Amino acid sequence: AQTVTQSQPEMSVQEAETVTLSCTYDTSESDYYLFWYKQPPSRQMILVIRQEAYKQQNATENRFSVNFQKAAKSFSLKISDSQLGDAAMYFCAYRSVLGSGGSNYKLTFGKGTLLTVNP
Amino acid sequence: DAGVIQSPRHEVTEMGQEVTLRCKPISGHNSLFWYRQTMMRGLELLIYFNNNVPIDDSGMPEDRFSAKMPNASFSTLKIQPSEPRDSAVYFCASSFARAEAFFGQGTRLTVV
């Protein structure tokens, strides 16, 4: 079974600085998707960024970018120019293709990293 | 599109009572997930449907939990009988194929 590990339960960053959140995963598959989700205090789960495993280029979305290292099974999230509104729990997620016919697209989450942004 | 709609937003019930949580996925999505979130266990996948068929229910805690998806636009998660340890936020999410999942607002369940 696939597992997702976020080794940093909590992180903090100064406003306008850069922070990197770590994520590693375990899989025997060659094709999969990886995601970062953000959960602010409102508890709404919001997609931040996604990466297809077959793409070598790292995904970017404005101030958010990833460092995808497929061989190392690592998928870190970098937040540049941190803002107060970035404070939230961040979850790394893995989406697999399992079973015959590719019909099982199970989505597995890590335990999350709580990010605090200091003014 | 209204997004994934869950009801109720909050539920307080007494131990032993039956609880039913409801979810309307985004139209056109063919995958539906039920997750449970607690401080201790984080975000746990309870069950996953693909094209209305349960594919993986290995996360369902015990026989007190059951989930159904009678059609592409509706799913329920039932707990009978409920226990205090079932208190958590329950999320429903939907997606199309391997794309990202979109989450509902969640149902905060409190069993007293």
Side-chain angles (χ1 to χ4, degrees):
Chain A
Q2 288 75 26
T3 58
V4 178
T5 302
Q6 294 180 248
S7 59
Q8 307 151 315
E10 297 184 22
M11 291 281 285
S12 64
V13 64
Q14 290 296 125
E15 197 175 2
E17 298 291 307
T18 296
V19 64
T20 298
L21 309 183
S22 301
C23 173
T24 58
Y25 56 95
D26 184 26
T27 184
S28 58
E29 299 174 336
S30 60
D31 188 19
Y32 48 86
Y33 279 56
L34 296 165
F35 306 96
W36 279 97
Y37 281 84
K38 166 185 176 180
Q39 187 181 38
S42 66
R43 87 175 183 227
Q44 179 68 48
M45 292 285 284
I46 302 165
L47 178 71
V48 175
I49 199 165
R50 75 180 221 174
Q51 174 79 43
E52 294 91 336
Y54 64 86
K55 289 187 178 179
Q56 293 186 339
Q57 186 173 6
N58 290 322
T60 62
E61 285 290 340
N62 300 313
R63 298 182 296 106
F64 298 87
S65 61
V66 299
N67 184 5
F68 174 48
Q69 300 290 327
K70 190 172 184 179
K73 297 178 184 176
S74 172
F75 182 60
S76 61
L77 175 70
K78 185 171 81 171
I79 306 174
S80 304
D81 185 24
S82 297
Q83 300 176 0
L84 296 177
D86 295 334
M89 182 74 86
Y90 285 82
F91 293 95
C92 178
Y94 173 102
R95 184 140 204 207
S96 65
V97 179
L98 298 175
S100 61
S103 64
N104 190 346
Y105 303 140
K106 186 173 178 178
L107 182 61
T108 304
F109 284 82
K111 296 289 188 187
T113 297
L114 181 62
L115 178 66
T116 302
V117 181
N118 302 309
Chain B
D1 196 321
V4 177
I5 300 173
Q6 290 187 247
S7 63
R9 290 291 306 279
H10 304 273
E11 177 80 31
V12 180
T13 190
E14 292 185 346
M15 183 175 62
Q17 296 297 306
E18 177 180 296
V19 175
T20 299
L21 311 182
R22 296 173 175 80
C23 176
K24 176 179 170 55
I26 293 173
S27 176
H29 283 188
N30 61 352
S31 295
L32 185 138
F33 306 85
W34 282 101
Y35 288 91
R36 177 173 68 177
Q37 186 176 35
T38 61
M39 289 291 291
M40 292 296 292
R41 294 175 175 268
L43 202 59
E44 301 174 276
L45 177 63
L46 299 178
I47 188 168
Y48 159 57
F49 292 88
N50 194 57
N51 293 323
N52 311 337
V53 176
I55 301 298
D56 187 338
D57 64 354
S58 59
M60 295 287 264
E62 49 200 272
D63 292 344
R64 296 184 299 106
F65 286 69
S66 63
K68 294 182 179 179
M69 192 165 185
N71 56 61
S73 58
F74 184 66
S75 177
T76 60
L77 178 67
K78 185 177 293 186
I79 308 172
Q80 167 63 21
S82 57
E83 297 181 2
R85 59 188 168 127
D86 300 331
S87 297
V89 178
Y90 290 80
F91 285 101
C92 175
S94 73
S95 76
F96 177 72
R98 295 186 297 172
E100 58 270 24
F102 293 84
F103 282 73
Q105 297 271 46
T107 295
R108 180 176 294 280
L109 174 65
T110 303
V111 183
V112 298

